[in-house]
Amino acid sequence: MSILLVDSYDSFTFNLKNLIEKSTGCKVYTIHNDSYTLPKDTQSLDQLISLVDSIVIGPGPGSPSNESDVGIIPYLYKHYPKIPILGICLGFQTLCLANGAHIGYLVNPIHGQVHNITLEPTSDDDDDNDDLFNGFNNTFESVRYHSIYVKDEPILNMKPLAYTYCPETNSRTLMAAKHTIHPHYGVQYHPESICSKNGDVLLKNFWNISQRYNLETKRQINNVDITRDSHILQFKPLIDQFVPSTNYDYQYKDISNNPFQNDILQICEFIKASNESRDDFLLLNSALSPGNWSIIGLPETNNSLIISHSTEEEEESNKVHLSKWGNETTTNTINLKNNESIWTFISNFMKNQFYEPIIENDHLKTCPFIGGLVGFFSYEEGQVVNFAKLKKLTTGNVPDTKLCFIERFIALSKDHSFVVSIKKNDDHWLNSFTESILRSAPLDNINKSIQSFVKQGDDLRIIKPNKQHYENAFNKCQEYLKTGDSYELCLTTPTKILIPSYIQSWEIYKNLVTKNPSPYSSYLKFSDSSLLSTSPERFISWDRVKSEMRPIKGTVRKTSSMTYEKACQLLHVPKEIGENLMIVDLIRHDLFQMLDRVEVSKLMQVEEYKTVYQLVSVIDGYFERNSDLKSKNYKGIDLLYRSLPPGSMTGAPKKRSVEILYELEQNERRGLYSGVCGYWSINDKSDWSVIIRSLFNYTDDLNSNDKLNCWRCGAGGAITVLSECESEWEEMLTKLDSVLQMFE
């Protein structure tokens, strides 16, 4: 028994797929609505339809009257009248339009809002053996995402089943209907949303209708392996299985009683002084909860591997560059094949590095990092990015991936610190490095202000976003939202900070992290790029059992008069809830592409940071090792790969939103902003944060010169139909000022 699900490039499709499978026990196969070119592929499509019991047509951006938005959907309704079909949102609108209904645009579009749905009363003589709402209360709650609606007027051969009432217009909006002759049904709302009620009951009812109808009509369903059809969406795991490595030996020294009192900035100052003022370290600094461990990676000059990739090379020949720390000018260039990417490359590399040591120290064994890749992926390394029109940021190819393989590091928690090496026969270095730390003296006055470094007569200039440009982009966002091309757009703006070139990046970072401590602070300085981050947002972490994602949507500036209680009142309003809900639903979809079990363990709770209050949700995905489940084959790296760019930085649906945002942001590369940074440990544990509240610099930035280095800082926020331009502008400045306050 199987169901065909038609995807219109929506960001909620796999929530729907999972809900169908759990509600019905059926296998669901998914295709894109443009997978077939008609009439050329008619025979192939007919063959596929003959193999399934019924069809579900999912939601998607755009209009049911636009051929490029709906693809084969009208054809399905017209040419398969004897096959049970359920249309949802765009699928529902297309069903009604195909039967002569008129559509319109809502004056006030509804995106990510919970509304009451009321069933249409049925008469005693009504034949409802195909009741889609069997077992429902007369009124129930569900989530709506739509700008287009089906007008409330008689539709030939269509029977209304449910409405929602709009008090502003004193009118009803059609929420569900069925064809009076064919087994075609539709609902306008989204049963798959985390906040919708009875979605599983609805889909179970549709499945019962399908079974009953197929039995009564004696429809024959061919028993053939559908997965052979190349149109079916199937995601091949990046790693089949890890190969245990014998190249490593885990060794450590406890330095919890060091003279720096576990002050991570002091320890980094010591490392810097020990290496003739070179920044021979990569810092992942968890200054606040939920980050428990900070990692100071200690790469070895001329030995530690660096993996680099630029999307600007993909049009000619996709390449990966390998070099050594401290000598990145000498590279080994690898030309990737057509079916390869940076993701397949690093996966194949890490596949053969797997190592799980037995760690004797009870505290140190809780540290997830034991050595591995540390670095970043830019926004442009994401799945749905088109590079064709993007402007240059650098004179050379912009670094989109920079990863360093770390075998020596310092691990610090609140009260403990350890020097660790996984290199074999590394006792001499471990002992000498530990001894040098323990014999050192504390450092004084390491946190000087940035202004104290600026020489008299030199400039430090900040070029902030233009408000008129922002307003123009905001207004265009509203146009796209009202036409249904997106439900939410994360509009961002770039700021350039021109800093005298003699001011070291480490001094900038110390100021930044002191002013704005955060759970996912990072100092990652490579030869061609530097990232100074004070991000509050975890993108994804994983171990061998589960993954966790923590999207942030909804921000209130922290002032002397702003209490936690007041922030909760301001953030628990329809606009902020809608923003967060859409990203929660999007992330669930991203995880459900590969996992069978995804749970929301925290939904829209307010968290307090040094400069802001923010609305946070937590979504967990589980790698269940059951041979009957698809998730047995996937690893955390698959989730990272297929979830980028972060949904909290794009909006939903992700693909269409990314396309729109590049247009509105004038085809500027976001670069590191909106990307992710973190680590992937060789024990297959990992933690990546979204690069926000950050500064980044490219060594060959087009805006730099001999005297000034251009540092870039992005800021933005989710635009919905409930957004107001002035308040969004102010929220964007709040986020920007959390970084720029260090220059005051």
Side-chain angles (χ1 to χ4, degrees), residues 539-552:
F539 179 59
I540 187 171
S541 66
W542 72 77
D543 56 26
R544 301 281 285 165
V545 176
K546 63 177 283 192
S547 65
E548 178 187 280
M549 301 182 81
R550 292 176 55 89
I552 291 177

Side-chain angles (χ1 to χ4, degrees), residues 71-246:
I72 65 171
I73 297 174
Y75 179 88
L76 297 177
Y77 285 125
K78 181 178 180 180
H79 291 273
Y80 303 109
K82 301 302 181 183
I83 294 179
I85 302 178
L86 173 65
I88 295 171
C89 198
L90 183 64
F92 164 75
Q93 295 164 4
T94 311
L95 167 64
C96 294
L97 190 66
N99 286 280
H102 295 92
I103 61 172
Y105 287 90
L106 294 169
V107 176
N108 298 303
I110 306 295
H111 294 152
Q113 303 297 321
V114 179
H115 282 222
N116 284 329
I117 311 297
T118 301
L119 299 181
E120 182 78 344
T122 58
S123 60
D124 293 338
D125 59 351
D126 193 11
D127 181 12
D128 271 322
N129 66 341
D130 55 356
D131 188 5
L132 191 64
F133 293 98
N134 184 39
F136 279 62
N137 292 328
N138 186 57
T139 300
F140 61 95
E141 291 183 339
S142 206
V143 176
R144 295 169 60 190
Y145 289 101
H146 65 113
S147 300
I148 294 172
Y149 72 103
V150 177
K151 292 187 176 180
D152 183 17
E153 57 190 23
I155 309 171
L156 183 64
N157 295 327
M158 293 292 292
K159 176 187 175 181
L161 297 178
Y163 292 89
T164 190
Y165 179 71
C166 180
E168 294 180 14
T169 60
N170 193 30
S171 63
R172 304 190 309 175
T173 302
L174 188 63
M175 285 287 108
K178 70 174 183 178
H179 200 281
T180 56
I181 302 173
H182 309 314
H184 295 171
Y185 299 77
V187 296
Q188 175 62 75
Y189 65 89
H190 282 239
E192 80 286 354
S193 173
I194 189 65
C195 290
S196 287
K197 306 295 185 183
N198 301 328
D200 55 342
V201 181
L202 178 94
L203 291 163
K204 178 63 174 177
N205 287 342
F206 172 68
W207 176 240
N208 290 336
I209 292 168
S210 301
Q211 287 183 301
R212 191 162 52 238
Y213 182 87
N214 288 337
L215 184 63
E216 291 173 354
T217 59
K218 299 180 180 180
R219 177 171 172 252
Q220 296 297 314
I221 301 169
N222 297 327
N223 186 18
V224 178
D225 183 7
I226 299 178
T227 58
R228 295 178 182 177
D229 191 316
S230 61
H231 301 92
I232 301 295
L233 295 182
Q234 300 178 77
F235 305 122
K236 183 180 179 180
L238 288 167
I239 295 174
D240 49 3
Q241 62 182 13
F242 287 102
V243 179
S245 174
T246 58

Side-chain angles (χ1 to χ4, degrees), residues 524-592:
L524 303 175
K525 183 180 179 182
F526 295 92
S527 65
D528 56 3
S529 51
S530 299
L531 171 64
L532 322 178
S533 175
T534 54
S535 174
E537 182 173 354
R538 167 179 281 165
F539 179 59
I540 187 171
S541 66
W542 72 77
D543 56 26
R544 301 281 285 165
V545 176
K546 63 177 283 192
S547 65
E548 178 187 280
M549 301 182 81
R550 292 176 55 89
I552 291 177
K553 275 296 164 206
T555 303
V556 170
R557 186 192 295 267
K558 196 173 181 182
T559 64
S560 57
S561 62
M562 181 61 66
T563 64
Y564 179 83
E565 291 72 21
K566 189 182 293 185
C568 289
Q569 292 176 356
L570 292 173
L571 289 171
H572 285 132
V573 296
K575 172 189 173 295
E576 307 294 351
I577 289 174
E579 287 184 19
N580 201 289
L581 172 59
M582 281 184 259
I583 301 308
V584 170
D585 280 342
L586 180 151
I587 286 174
R588 291 172 60 239
H589 156 90
D590 283 347
L591 296 181
F592 272 136

